[in-house]
Amino acid sequence: MTRKRWVALAASVTLVLAALLWWMVTENDRRLDAQIRQALERYEQAFARDGVGATPTPPRREGYGRSLGVLSIEKVTVHKDGQTLTAEFVGALSAGACGADYTARAVESEHAVLIVVEEHPHVHVGARACTAVGILNQVTVRLSRPLGERAVLEAERGMPVPSTS
């Protein structure tokens, strides 16, 4: 085999491996996107059946623990502008080896807003176990239009959460 063919083969193998790595790394993102779409669809179906205040059927869960690294929010406060929401959830301290940082986003549909809170744990050095009890944390998201009569859903199970003004 000539050098040119070896280079072409190596480039092809590298490209295939890069695509496989990308597919593996983004699998959880694709699963989370599907979970969000399904939660919003379940709410829209419940809304069509029951109107405002609808409660969708919760999804079946296999096993225990969090679903795809998203946190369940406890309650939401709607700011005066109607477009800014502050969500409260139980999580880790923001400082220290056992801490975590959080990002949040809102996914909107015609009759609901689903808030996705993702946890980004700090990497702890050594074999020390994290024993801290969760604390109440907050994140703020901004909607593209005022909340109005739309329901606020949490992303872990797609269920409505209490909201106050």
Side-chain angles (χ1 to χ4, degrees):
M1 200 182 277
T2 67
R3 178 181 162 96
K4 198 174 192 177
R5 286 188 178 168
W6 277 111
V7 170
L9 178 63
S12 297
V13 168
T14 301
L15 185 60
V16 167
L17 290 175
L20 181 61
L21 180 61
W22 172 83
W23 182 259
M24 289 171 28
V25 168
T26 61
E27 180 180 3
N28 278 349
D29 291 337
R30 288 190 306 280
R31 288 177 52 212
L32 179 57
D33 288 345
Q35 179 178 322
I36 291 167
R37 276 192 314 277
Q38 290 167 1
L40 288 171
E41 286 171 9
R42 276 193 315 278
Y43 185 81
E44 292 296 337
Q45 290 169 355
F47 184 88
R49 183 184 64 236
D50 303 328
V52 175
T55 301
T57 304
R60 284 183 31 132
R61 289 236 1 233
E62 304 295 330
Y64 299 96
R66 290 189 190 141
S67 172
L68 300 175
V70 295
L71 299 175
S72 182
I73 58 176
E74 305 290 322
K75 73 174 189 172
V76 170
T77 302
V78 182
H79 295 241
K80 288 182 182 180
D81 66 1
Q83 287 184 263
T84 306
L85 308 178
T86 298
E88 293 184 5
F89 62 95
V90 175
L93 292 169
S94 60
C98 292
D101 296 316
Y102 300 93
T103 55
R105 61 186 163 116
V107 182
E108 302 178 54
S109 72
E110 184 178 352
H111 300 107
V113 171
L114 188 136
I115 298 178
V116 181
V117 178
E118 293 183 83
E119 182 177 54
H120 310 283
H122 298 167
V123 177
H124 51 273
V125 179
R128 189 176 127 222
C130 293
T131 59
V133 176
I135 64 165
L136 197 60
N137 287 290
Q138 295 182 337
V139 291
T140 301
V141 295
R142 181 134 175 97
L143 306 178
S144 64
R145 64 184 172 98
L147 180 63
E149 294 294 316
R150 294 184 291 172
V152 178
L153 311 176
E154 54 83 29
E156 187 176 33
R157 298 187 67 227
M159 299 302 290
V161 295
S163 60
T164 58
S165 297

